[in-house]
Amino acid sequence: WTRRSRQSGGSESSSDLAKAFDPGAQKTAKALVEAEKRGFLVVGGAARRALVDEASPARSWPYQTCTEFGFYQTCEFGSRCPFVQGYNNLSQQVSMCELMFGISEAQVRAAVKLTNEYYGADKPEGTRILFPNGNVDPWSGLGVLDSPNPADEPTMLVEGASHHFWTHPHGSITQPAVAEAKAAIQAQVLEWLQESP
């Protein structure tokens, strides 16, 4: 969700958005229209219809950010963000939770706190966990970059890799560093699977 200019045109009505879906979608459609009235650029076309359809898998990631992770990329006023500050801030990101799912900011904060306490935040405790990150991935700042236990929880920083680069099908990977990382990830998992419990 990002702010948009009021001059950028109108939006579909909530009834137009919900026509293709069951009546349960009308609440979400109204929330999206309300977000636009408040100055947010939501999404259009198929992406918009997917978010309105309460059975759509496209809603799973936004729901997880509201109920478990947070993981909002923002550019707050006074931060060191190199982009336009204040254009995409935390309150805008969290308002999506209220608009789409009826989850308040306080509930989001409590859920993220619980998740961090349960899983250890950026210092998890476990075994056989590999933490790959790409050095050009904007999400890497939320990843585990320094292993708390290198023998059981190794980290990997892949040169030139972006978000999920090593999860693409083998034949579509053209970057040598990413292909090597994918092979190393597979080798590590196979090694762990061959160890006795």
Side-chain angles (χ1 to χ4, degrees):
W1 303 61
T2 56
R3 287 243 179 235
R4 71 172 180 155
S5 165
R6 293 267 180 215
Q7 292 111 7
S8 64
S11 62
E12 300 170 72
S13 73
S14 59
S15 60
D16 291 338
L17 288 170
K19 278 180 187 172
F21 306 104
D22 61 69
Q26 194 130 20
K27 178 182 175 190
T28 303
K30 287 179 182 178
L32 293 173
V33 171
E34 179 60 28
E36 288 192 332
K37 286 180 187 173
R38 291 175 48 192
F40 293 95
L41 172 63
V42 182
V43 288
R48 172 180 279 225
R49 286 188 297 278
L51 290 173
V52 171
D53 179 1
E54 293 186 357
S56 170
R59 293 168 54 94
S60 61
W61 176 249
Y63 185 77
Q64 278 189 296
T65 68
C66 298
T67 60
E68 295 180 54
F69 304 131
F71 279 15
Y72 303 113
Q73 294 176 334
T74 65
C75 194
E76 303 287 341
F77 286 114
S79 69
R80 293 181 6 204
C81 176
F83 306 107
V84 178
Q85 294 182 8
Y87 189 74
N88 186 22
N89 61 43
L90 184 59
S91 64
Q92 292 169 336
Q93 294 286 318
V94 173
S95 71
M96 168 207 49
C97 301
E98 180 75 45
L99 293 168
M100 287 182 69
F101 307 110
I103 299 170
S104 71
E105 182 174 343
Q107 290 171 306
V108 172
R109 289 182 185 278
V112 171
K113 182 178 185 229
L114 181 65
T115 299
N116 284 334
E117 287 170 355
Y118 186 81
Y119 291 104
D122 62 349
K123 302 214 181 334
E125 293 181 15
T127 60
R128 298 177 179 168
I129 304 169
L130 174 63
F131 299 100
N133 284 282
N135 74 334
V136 294
D137 181 357
W139 292 95
S140 66
L142 295 170
V144 176
L145 302 174
D146 295 314
S147 174
N149 180 357
D152 285 331
E153 299 175 280
T155 60
M156 175 188 293
L157 189 62
V158 183
E159 186 69 29
S162 186
H163 193 57
H164 285 287
F165 246 55
W166 42 83
T167 61
H168 295 188
H170 180 72
S172 68
I173 297 175
T174 58
Q175 212 172 338
V178 175
E180 291 168 13
K182 185 169 183 167
I185 292 167
Q186 290 172 340
Q188 180 63 75
V189 171
L190 286 173
E191 180 184 320
W192 283 333
L193 289 173
Q194 292 171 1
E195 292 176 0
S196 58

